[in-house]
Amino acid sequence: MTISVDKLTEPAVRAFVGALNSGDRDSFRTTLAPGATMSDDGNDRDIDEWTGREVFDSRGHMEVESQSADGLSLVARYRNDTWGEMRTSWRFSVEGGRVARFETGQA
C-alpha cells in the first residue's frame, strides 16, 4: 500500500516528493532552504550533483509506503533508471517551511 503525495502531512516534505516525482528541477530547488544539505547511506553529498545523477538524469521516483507521525520520516520504494527499485528511508529537517537537510539510505 502506498501513500499518495497529497496525503503527506508535512507540507515541505509533500512539496519535495511532488517535485522529485514530477522531475521538475526548478520546483525541487524551491523546496530546499538556502544552504540545504543531504546524506546518502550516511555520507554527505553535494545536493545538486546527487539529485542530478540519482533523481533527474535517471528519472527517479518515490512511492511512499509509510510516514512518521510528524511527517518528517518516510519509508519509500525508490526507483530510477540506474539502480532499479529499492526500499529506502528518508529523514527530513525543515526550517522556515523548506527542507534544510534530508538523509536517505536503504531501509
Side-chain angles (χ1 to χ4, degrees):
M1 174 146 188
T2 61
I3 300 170
S4 64
V5 174
D6 65 327
K7 300 292 185 203
L8 297 175
T9 56
E10 168 54 53
V13 172
R14 185 170 52 243
F16 176 101
V17 175
L20 184 151
N21 283 351
S22 69
D24 186 336
R25 285 181 205 252
D26 293 334
S27 290
F28 181 82
R29 287 298 301 160
T30 67
T31 72
L32 302 175
T37 61
M38 65 138 322
S39 71
D40 179 17
D41 285 329
N43 297 303
D44 279 1
R45 305 286 186 203
D46 177 273
I47 288 180
D48 291 329
E49 180 184 310
W50 188 89
T51 57
R53 181 181 65 250
E54 300 291 338
V55 177
F56 300 109
D57 296 341
S58 60
R59 298 187 313 151
H61 188 85
M62 294 173 70
E63 290 186 26
V64 178
E65 295 179 344
S66 64
Q67 66 180 324
S68 60
D70 63 5
L72 294 174
S73 296
L74 307 176
V75 173
R77 289 190 316 273
Y78 185 78
R79 68 178 180 272
N80 67 23
D81 291 345
T82 303
W83 304 108
E85 185 175 298
M86 65 190 83
R87 195 160 187 259
T88 56
S89 64
W90 298 75
R91 288 179 307 283
F92 298 89
S93 299
V94 173
E95 295 175 7
R98 295 164 79 183
V99 174
R101 180 169 177 82
F102 69 93
E103 299 172 351
T104 187
Q106 292 197 42

PDB file of all heavy atoms in Angstrom, residues 31-47:
ATOM      1  N   THR A  31      12.002  23.834  -2.997  1.00  0.00           N
ATOM      2  CA  THR A  31      11.618  23.140  -1.764  1.00  0.00           C
ATOM      3  C   THR A  31      12.746  23.130  -0.750  1.00  0.00           C
ATOM      4  O   THR A  31      12.520  22.801   0.410  1.00  0.00           O
ATOM      5  CB  THR A  31      11.163  21.685  -2.027  1.00  0.00           C
ATOM      6  OG1 THR A  31      12.299  20.872  -2.375  1.00  0.00           O
ATOM      7  CG2 THR A  31      10.088  21.607  -3.092  1.00  0.00           C
ATOM      8  N   LEU A  32      13.960  23.487  -1.202  1.00  0.00           N
ATOM      9  CA  LEU A  32      15.134  23.434  -0.335  1.00  0.00           C
ATOM     10  C   LEU A  32      15.461  24.803   0.259  1.00  0.00           C
ATOM     11  O   LEU A  32      15.415  25.816  -0.434  1.00  0.00           O
ATOM     12  CB  LEU A  32      16.350  22.943  -1.126  1.00  0.00           C
ATOM     13  CG  LEU A  32      16.224  21.569  -1.783  1.00  0.00           C
ATOM     14  CD1 LEU A  32      17.463  21.282  -2.625  1.00  0.00           C
ATOM     15  CD2 LEU A  32      15.995  20.474  -0.757  1.00  0.00           C
ATOM     16  N   ALA A  33      15.800  24.801   1.537  1.00  0.00           N
ATOM     17  CA  ALA A  33      16.236  26.028   2.204  1.00  0.00           C
ATOM     18  C   ALA A  33      17.624  26.413   1.676  1.00  0.00           C
ATOM     19  O   ALA A  33      18.379  25.554   1.220  1.00  0.00           O
ATOM     20  CB  ALA A  33      16.300  25.798   3.711  1.00  0.00           C
ATOM     21  N   PRO A  34      17.969  27.697   1.728  1.00  0.00           N
ATOM     22  CA  PRO A  34      19.330  28.097   1.343  1.00  0.00           C
ATOM     23  C   PRO A  34      20.358  27.314   2.169  1.00  0.00           C
ATOM     24  O   PRO A  34      20.197  27.153   3.378  1.00  0.00           O
ATOM     25  CB  PRO A  34      19.378  29.586   1.683  1.00  0.00           C
ATOM     26  CG  PRO A  34      17.948  30.025   1.657  1.00  0.00           C
ATOM     27  CD  PRO A  34      17.154  28.837   2.156  1.00  0.00           C
ATOM     28  N   GLY A  35      21.369  26.793   1.498  1.00  0.00           N
ATOM     29  CA  GLY A  35      22.409  26.041   2.193  1.00  0.00           C
ATOM     30  C   GLY A  35      22.007  24.640   2.614  1.00  0.00           C
ATOM     31  O   GLY A  35      22.686  24.021   3.438  1.00  0.00           O
ATOM     32  N   ALA A  36      20.912  24.116   2.065  1.00  0.00           N
ATOM     33  CA  ALA A  36      20.445  22.782   2.435  1.00  0.00           C
ATOM     34  C   ALA A  36      21.534  21.744   2.202  1.00  0.00           C
ATOM     35  O   ALA A  36      22.380  21.891   1.312  1.00  0.00           O
ATOM     36  CB  ALA A  36      19.202  22.426   1.623  1.00  0.00           C
ATOM     37  N   THR A  37      21.510  20.698   3.042  1.00  0.00           N
ATOM     38  CA  THR A  37      22.492  19.620   2.954  1.00  0.00           C
ATOM     39  C   THR A  37      21.776  18.285   2.873  1.00  0.00           C
ATOM     40  O   THR A  37      20.573  18.189   3.139  1.00  0.00           O
ATOM     41  CB  THR A  37      23.434  19.627   4.171  1.00  0.00           C
ATOM     42  OG1 THR A  37      22.659  19.431   5.363  1.00  0.00           O
ATOM     43  CG2 THR A  37      24.217  20.933   4.257  1.00  0.00           C
ATOM     44  N   MET A  38      22.540  17.246   2.520  1.00  0.00           N
ATOM     45  CA  MET A  38      21.962  15.914   2.433  1.00  0.00           C
ATOM     46  C   MET A  38      23.018  14.855   2.672  1.00  0.00           C
ATOM     47  O   MET A  38      24.216  15.128   2.586  1.00  0.00           O
ATOM     48  CB  MET A  38      21.326  15.681   1.057  1.00  0.00           C
ATOM     49  CG  MET A  38      22.315  15.688  -0.084  1.00  0.00           C
ATOM     50  SD  MET A  38      22.107  14.431  -1.389  1.00  0.00           S
ATOM     51  CE  MET A  38      21.610  12.970  -0.589  1.00  0.00           C
ATOM     52  N   SER A  39      22.557  13.646   2.959  1.00  0.00           N
ATOM     53  CA  SER A  39      23.450  12.493   3.016  1.00  0.00           C
ATOM     54  C   SER A  39      22.762  11.298   2.385  1.00  0.00           C
ATOM     55  O   SER A  39      21.535  11.202   2.364  1.00  0.00           O
ATOM     56  CB  SER A  39      23.872  12.171   4.456  1.00  0.00           C
ATOM     57  OG  SER A  39      22.790  11.647   5.185  1.00  0.00           O
ATOM     58  N   ASP A  40      23.578  10.398   1.839  1.00  0.00           N
ATOM     59  CA  ASP A  40      23.113   9.160   1.235  1.00  0.00           C
ATOM     60  C   ASP A  40      23.890   8.031   1.883  1.00  0.00           C
ATOM     61  O   ASP A  40      25.132   8.037   1.851  1.00  0.00           O
ATOM     62  CB  ASP A  40      23.353   9.200  -0.276  1.00  0.00           C
ATOM     63  CG  ASP A  40      22.926   7.934  -0.990  1.00  0.00           C
ATOM     64  OD1 ASP A  40      22.160   7.138  -0.406  1.00  0.00           O
ATOM     65  OD2 ASP A  40      23.348   7.731  -2.142  1.00  0.00           O
ATOM     66  N   ASP A  41      23.184   7.108   2.516  1.00  0.00           N
ATOM     67  CA  ASP A  41      23.816   5.998   3.246  1.00  0.00           C
ATOM     68  C   ASP A  41      24.885   6.494   4.218  1.00  0.00           C
ATOM     69  O   ASP A  41      25.964   5.910   4.335  1.00  0.00           O
ATOM     70  CB  ASP A  41      24.405   4.963   2.281  1.00  0.00           C
ATOM     71  CG  ASP A  41      23.326   4.105   1.629  1.00  0.00           C
ATOM     72  OD1 ASP A  41      22.282   3.862   2.281  1.00  0.00           O
ATOM     73  OD2 ASP A  41      23.521   3.686   0.482  1.00  0.00           O
ATOM     74  N   GLY A  42      24.592   7.613   4.900  1.00  0.00           N
ATOM     75  CA  GLY A  42      25.476   8.129   5.933  1.00  0.00           C
ATOM     76  C   GLY A  42      26.626   8.994   5.452  1.00  0.00           C
ATOM     77  O   GLY A  42      27.417   9.478   6.259  1.00  0.00           O
ATOM     78  N   ASN A  43      26.732   9.205   4.138  1.00  0.00           N
ATOM     79  CA  ASN A  43      27.804  10.029   3.591  1.00  0.00           C
ATOM     80  C   ASN A  43      27.235  11.327   3.039  1.00  0.00           C
ATOM     81  O   ASN A  43      26.343  11.286   2.186  1.00  0.00           O
ATOM     82  CB  ASN A  43      28.527   9.277   2.463  1.00  0.00           C
ATOM     83  CG  ASN A  43      29.190   8.016   2.966  1.00  0.00           C
ATOM     84  OD1 ASN A  43      30.006   8.049   3.876  1.00  0.00           O
ATOM     85  ND2 ASN A  43      28.822   6.879   2.394  1.00  0.00           N
ATOM     86  N   ASP A  44      27.762  12.461   3.523  1.00  0.00           N
ATOM     87  CA  ASP A  44      27.299  13.736   2.999  1.00  0.00           C
ATOM     88  C   ASP A  44      27.615  13.830   1.510  1.00  0.00           C
ATOM     89  O   ASP A  44      28.681  13.400   1.067  1.00  0.00           O
ATOM     90  CB  ASP A  44      27.941  14.903   3.747  1.00  0.00           C
ATOM     91  CG  ASP A  44      27.249  15.184   5.071  1.00  0.00           C
ATOM     92  OD1 ASP A  44      26.286  14.465   5.421  1.00  0.00           O
ATOM     93  OD2 ASP A  44      27.673  16.118   5.765  1.00  0.00           O
ATOM     94  N   ARG A  45      26.678  14.372   0.764  1.00  0.00           N
ATOM     95  CA  ARG A  45      26.808  14.514  -0.688  1.00  0.00           C
ATOM     96  C   ARG A  45      26.445  15.938  -1.093  1.00  0.00           C
ATOM     97  O   ARG A  45      25.721  16.638  -0.387  1.00  0.00           O
ATOM     98  CB  ARG A  45      25.851  13.561  -1.422  1.00  0.00           C
ATOM     99  CG  ARG A  45      25.977  12.109  -1.054  1.00  0.00           C
ATOM    100  CD  ARG A  45      27.200  11.506  -1.644  1.00  0.00           C
ATOM    101  NE  ARG A  45      27.208  10.072  -1.380  1.00  0.00           N
ATOM    102  CZ  ARG A  45      28.284   9.336  -1.369  1.00  0.00           C
ATOM    103  NH1 ARG A  45      29.456   9.876  -1.618  1.00  0.00           N
ATOM    104  NH2 ARG A  45      28.216   8.050  -1.125  1.00  0.00           N
ATOM    105  N   ASP A  46      26.908  16.346  -2.262  1.00  0.00           N
ATOM    106  CA  ASP A  46      26.509  17.619  -2.858  1.00  0.00           C
ATOM    107  C   ASP A  46      25.101  17.437  -3.418  1.00  0.00           C
ATOM    108  O   ASP A  46      24.877  16.559  -4.252  1.00  0.00           O
ATOM    109  CB  ASP A  46      27.498  17.979  -3.968  1.00  0.00           C
ATOM    110  CG  ASP A  46      27.100  19.257  -4.674  1.00  0.00           C
ATOM    111  OD1 ASP A  46      26.305  19.168  -5.642  1.00  0.00           O
ATOM    112  OD2 ASP A  46      27.572  20.321  -4.262  1.00  0.00           O
ATOM    113  N   ILE A  47      24.159  18.255  -2.951  1.00  0.00           N
ATOM    114  CA  ILE A  47      22.760  18.075  -3.352  1.00  0.00           C
ATOM    115  C   ILE A  47      22.578  18.166  -4.858  1.00  0.00           C
ATOM    116  O   ILE A  47      21.901  17.327  -5.457  1.00  0.00           O
ATOM    117  CB  ILE A  47      21.830  19.087  -2.643  1.00  0.00           C
ATOM    118  CG1 ILE A  47      21.674  18.721  -1.179  1.00  0.00           C
ATOM    119  CG2 ILE A  47      20.455  19.130  -3.307  1.00  0.00           C
ATOM    120  CD1 ILE A  47      20.782  19.651  -0.400  1.00  0.00           C
TER     121      ILE A  47
END
